[in-house]
Amino acid sequence: MIPSSFETINDLLLTRRDQQPSALAYRFLGSGETETETISYADLAEEALRVAAALHRVGLKQGDRALLLFPAGIRYIAAFLGSLLAGVAAVPAYPPRPNRRDPRLLAIIRDAGARAVLTTTALQANVQERLGELGADSAPLCLASDNIEDAPLANPVAAGSSGLAFLQYTSGSTGSPKGVMVRHGNIVDNLAFIREAFSLHPESRCLSWLPPFHDMGLIDGILEPLYLGSTGVLMPPTAFLQRPARWLQAISDYRIAHSGGPDFGYLLCAEKVDPAAIDGAGLSCWESAYSGAEPVRPSTLDRFCQRFASLGFARRAFYPCYGLAEATLMVSGGSVDSDPVLRSFDASTLTTAQRAEPSHESGARAILLPGVGHARRDTRIVVADPDTLLPRPERVIGEILVHGGGVASGYWNQPEESLAVFGAAVPGYPGKTFLRTGDLGFLDQGELFVTGRSKDLIIVRGENHYPQDLELTVENAHFAVRKGCVAAFTVDDEHGEQLVLVAEVERTALRNLDAVEVATVIREAISLEYELLARSIVLIRTGTIPRTSSGKIRRSACRQDWLDGALQEAGRSDLTQTAPLTNGEDSALPHPGGPFEVRPWLVSRLAHHLHLSPELIDHATPFAQYGLDSSVALGITGELQDELGVELPPTLLWDYPTIDDVTFHVDAELGRLTPS
């Protein structure tokens, strides 16, 4: 039963405890395959109340903030809910890696003014080391939630619908992070929106592999099952990235109705999962396979449907949708009873006249765009002129504006930007304020189509990155790069969004420029700092990067010059395929039946994932110099794990940063590894 009236997540949790105490709240698949944790609603509420009591004992009061640094798992959920029961705003974030600086995490702590950090005993020493960088007077208290007294809180704080539940730091540069203020009422409204949009009910089984610290993984993956009174099945993101088949196998095993993720997740499955390897009943149970958080590509939709039709996956289950953290999560979606909406528009008028004219042509003259649904409940979507905010007619591109109960109240401690972004007044809608999403799109017969971004946000694998952060890293990577003369942007290819970096070279460095060295250093810096792969690094002549009349870098113009080949290049480095590669059947691999050799296998797989010739892969070169990103690193680790039949740590390629290092480690340790 879904309660008909409650104001807060606290009300919801305690209702579940009282009405269905023994019902299973969550299953956690620690390896992505087997259950390592389960918890009932009664036990979840009890653990959350213990966390709340601990926060009160150390002096936190209603309105204070607590940073949550946990691996994916049930303890994180209990800590999040415990913070809310204490009236303390949760600040979820990804836990820091050992022996690695994390300036963004420190910036979040400072901005949020967190008075406490909740973590686990296993992570506590590493977390305290990172907190030490803040200085003894500024560092918050660090608590391990698995090592607190067994004394539940007697009376949870009455937060009310306007009470601040959590700060979502999903956007903002390293120097100026932005925490979206999500209140209890925003969450409750969005959970109801999701239930209605996907036709969910208490028997709907949900599964998520998405990071639980971000809006999609937290709201849909964790809180929606709680709202429904159903059971949520969860697995770590690393388990999916290591072996994408785990996602589909879990859907089959647990008869999941509702699950999804960014476009790249479906693309990974289409490229890497053999349908014959999925045991059991198949995917006919999957009713809503939502796709959001990055551009939805019709080609990915087609490839996934074709690949898994034999397992019973229905095309109508694919569900493109649109949302953002500033609106808690979901803004628009279609119908679970209909095929995805795909419409063809004239390419010329779409790009030059900013108008969407239906097209019956094919090929280069037409662009096929997916619809991402329509608004529900009290949500209103308006497409407006970005300068005047005057609403635009159907099929005319403008900025997407949103009004509704899910729209957050602003950015933490940023009143001016909050007013500019969350307080837009739109002619024709008196008394209503709108959220300026910064995304571009148009409406066609009520269906929303997203065409791009007016803000220079870079989205890769569903993660947000601000170009100015990447550009600053490039500037500081090598003395040959001119300060303030770098542009970062993405281009789309068959592998998804690809990062391109364009940098002016100092005039004094042009004569003896070693472009390969400069690009290698830049690529390594980007890989280490952001776990991103820079597909193309272009070094251009001094004074030639496109600028506005006021001197600002024109990233969109730079991107167009890159596409047109019009940049005045002094050198470049592209990671592109230079020799035919197959799905692992390269000549570099050992012959079937022979002894498995780690080194040639790693050369072959690294070359395959990076679309390089194996001859370009050096055994002693750090993976970071190839721009190895987290998705590729985890994928290779998962494949090696399958080949060896043993468990390998997800951090293998970070802990042992060259092919030679990994080979030596695996060969030395193979006899002591535990079979999976």
Side-chain angles (χ1 to χ4, degrees):
M1 171 184 168
I2 300 172
S4 57
S5 62
F6 58 88
E7 289 190 324
T8 70
I9 300 303
N10 298 348
D11 299 336
L12 177 58
L13 174 62
L14 299 179
T15 297
R16 292 281 166 249
R17 178 199 63 182
D18 295 341
Q19 293 187 353
Q20 48 190 115
S22 61
L24 193 61
Y26 299 100
R27 288 187 172 96
F28 185 69
L29 314 180
S31 67
E33 298 174 17
T34 56
E35 292 182 14
T36 54
E37 294 179 273
T38 61
I39 195 165
S40 69
Y41 281 114
D43 289 342
L44 177 64
E46 182 179 353
E47 185 167 345
L49 287 165
R50 279 202 300 270
V51 170
L55 290 173
H56 280 188
R57 279 199 303 274
V58 297
L60 269 72
K61 302 179 178 60
Q62 186 168 5
D64 286 338
R65 280 77 58 205
L67 190 73
L68 274 52
L69 298 176
F70 287 82
I74 288 174
R75 285 209 177 275
Y76 164 73
I77 301 173
F80 179 87
L81 295 172
S83 299
L84 272 57
L85 288 170
V88 171
V91 186
Y94 194 87
R97 288 211 176 104
N99 305 314
R100 181 170 175 178
R101 291 190 70 253
D102 194 338
R104 185 173 184 273
L105 177 61
L106 298 181
I108 288 173
I109 296 173
R110 291 189 185 99
D111 186 75
R115 291 194 56 206
V117 175
L118 288 169
T119 187
T120 65
T121 301
L123 294 177
Q124 192 170 22
N126 178 42
V127 169
Q128 287 178 322
E129 183 179 351
R130 298 283 76 77
L131 295 178
E133 298 175 31
L134 292 168
D137 295 334
S138 303
L141 181 69
C142 186
L143 303 174
S145 71
D146 53 348
N147 188 28
I148 56 179
E149 296 178 25
D150 188 9
L153 184 69
N155 297 303
V157 169
S161 62
S162 62
L164 182 61
F166 71 102
L167 299 179
Q168 180 67 77
Y169 282 90
T170 61
S171 60
S173 68
T174 299
S176 57
K178 292 188 293 187
V180 179
M181 297 188 290
V182 184
R183 303 190 182 278
H184 281 271
N186 299 137
I187 303 175
V188 170
D189 186 90
N190 214 242
L191 294 177
F193 189 118
I194 292 169
R195 179 196 64 185
E196 180 181 320
F198 293 105
S199 299
L200 300 176
H201 48 80
E203 285 71 47
S204 297
R205 298 180 180 180
C206 309
L207 182 149
S208 177
W209 56 264
L210 300 164
F213 326 104
H214 294 160
D215 49 354
M216 191 183 290
L218 175 59
I219 302 299
D220 185 83
I222 292 174
L223 297 183
E224 189 65 30
L226 177 65
Y227 179 81
L228 297 171
S230 62
T231 300
V233 181
L234 307 168
M235 69 172 66
T238 52
F240 165 73
L241 292 170
Q242 278 186 313
R243 193 181 299 161
R246 288 168 169 158
W247 182 26
L248 306 186
Q249 186 63 64
I251 288 172
S252 175
D253 290 346
Y254 292 97
R255 309 309 295 153
I256 298 298
H258 179 67
S259 186
D263 184 272
F264 90 89
Y266 294 99
L267 185 59
L268 273 181
C269 290
E271 290 181 340
K272 299 181 68 172
V273 179
D274 180 358
I278 306 301
D279 299 325
L283 305 178
S284 59
C285 57
W286 201 355
E287 297 172 0
S288 51
Y290 59 86
S291 179
E294 64 182 21
V296 180
R297 296 174 181 83
S299 59
T300 300
L301 187 154
D302 289 339
R303 289 178 64 181
F304 189 91
C305 290
Q306 292 166 9
R307 183 81 166 167
F308 300 107
S310 62
L311 296 179
F313 182 80
R315 186 179 180 85
R316 59 173 166 71
F318 236 124
Y319 192 104
C321 52
Y322 171 70
L324 66 166
E326 284 82 352
T328 303
L329 178 60
M330 193 169 181
V331 168
S332 69
S335 169
V336 292
D337 299 321
S338 304
D339 283 358
V341 174
L342 297 174
R343 293 177 190 164
S344 183
F345 299 94
D346 180 77
S348 177
T349 57
L350 197 66
T351 56
T352 61
Q354 297 294 288
R355 193 174 68 253
E357 294 291 344
S359 173
H360 302 291
E361 301 280 348
S362 60
R365 294 185 176 183
I367 295 178
L368 189 64
L369 294 178
V372 291
H374 50 272
R376 283 184 169 81
R377 297 170 62 80
D378 70 336
T379 301
R380 296 290 180 269
I381 296 174
V382 173
V383 173
D385 182 295
D387 297 321
T388 66
L389 296 186
L390 285 169
R392 286 186 164 169
E394 280 208 338
R395 299 183 188 156
V396 177
I397 295 174
E399 184 177 355
I400 300 168
L401 310 180
V402 179
H403 168 87
V407 173
S409 54
Y411 296 121
W412 176 256
N413 276 345
Q414 297 195 36
E416 291 184 5
E417 185 158 7
S418 294
L419 181 61
V421 174
F422 292 84
V426 179
Y429 293 87
K432 287 183 169 61
T433 55
F434 283 75
L435 165 68
R436 299 193 63 165
T437 68
D439 294 319
L440 300 175
F442 63 91
L443 292 165
D444 182 23
Q445 302 173 48
E447 186 83 14
L448 179 63
F449 292 80
V450 181
T451 59
R453 292 184 290 275
S454 60
K455 55 188 179 184
D456 289 321
L457 190 65
I458 288 174
I459 303 177
V460 179
R461 301 191 314 274
E463 295 282 347
N464 294 348
H465 300 274
Y466 269 62
Q468 55 264 38
D469 291 343
L470 279 66
E471 290 158 0
L472 183 61
T473 299
V474 173
E475 288 177 17
N476 294 329
H478 199 283
F479 67 87
V481 177
R482 288 192 76 196
K483 303 295 184 184
C485 300
V486 180
F489 52 87
T490 58
V491 294
D492 195 13
D493 68 10
E494 66 271 22
H495 304 291
E497 292 287 317
Q498 306 297 337
L499 176 63
V500 177
L501 301 169
V502 176
E504 277 191 18
V505 177
E506 289 281 5
R507 196 177 304 279
T508 54
L510 279 171
R511 177 173 294 181
N512 298 313
L513 179 67
D514 186 339
V516 173
E517 176 198 318
V518 176
T520 298
V521 171
I522 289 172
R523 187 169 279 117
E524 183 173 9
I526 291 294
S527 176
L528 289 172
E529 186 76 18
Y530 307 100
E531 296 178 5
L532 287 175
L533 173 67
R535 284 289 180 186
S536 182
I537 297 174
V538 184
L539 306 177
I540 61 175
R541 297 191 174 278
T542 311
T544 63
I545 197 164
R547 294 179 181 274
T548 66
S549 58
S550 62
K552 296 179 180 178
I553 301 295
R554 297 172 60 205
R555 297 186 183 98
S556 59
C558 196
R559 180 181 184 276
Q560 191 59 51
D561 283 351
W562 184 88
L563 291 170
D564 295 339
L567 294 169
Q568 296 187 38
E569 296 183 13
R572 72 184 290 160
S573 170
D574 296 309
L575 290 184
T576 55
Q577 185 170 320
T578 57
L581 296 176
T582 61
N583 290 325
E585 298 174 356
D586 313 60
S587 60
L589 286 176
H591 292 294
F596 180 81
E597 298 180 34
V598 174
R599 183 176 284 107
W601 185 92
L602 282 170
V603 169
S604 175
R605 298 316 293 154
L606 187 62
H608 172 74
H609 282 282
L610 296 179
H611 312 288
L612 291 170
S613 170
E615 288 75 24
L616 299 178
I617 304 297
D618 181 75
H619 299 172
T621 297
F623 296 123
Q625 288 192 16
Y626 295 107
L628 195 67
D629 66 24
S630 57
S631 175
V632 173
L634 288 165
I636 290 175
T637 303
E639 292 169 5
L640 182 58
Q641 185 171 269
D642 290 344
E643 290 285 350
L644 296 173
V646 297
E647 287 288 345
L648 295 172
T651 57
L652 179 69
L653 269 63
W654 286 286
D655 297 337
Y656 303 93
T658 71
I659 289 175
D660 283 343
D661 291 338
V662 173
T663 301
F664 180 82
H665 170 73
V666 171
D667 286 347
E669 299 291 320
L670 193 58
R672 295 190 281 116
L673 291 171
T674 304
S676 56

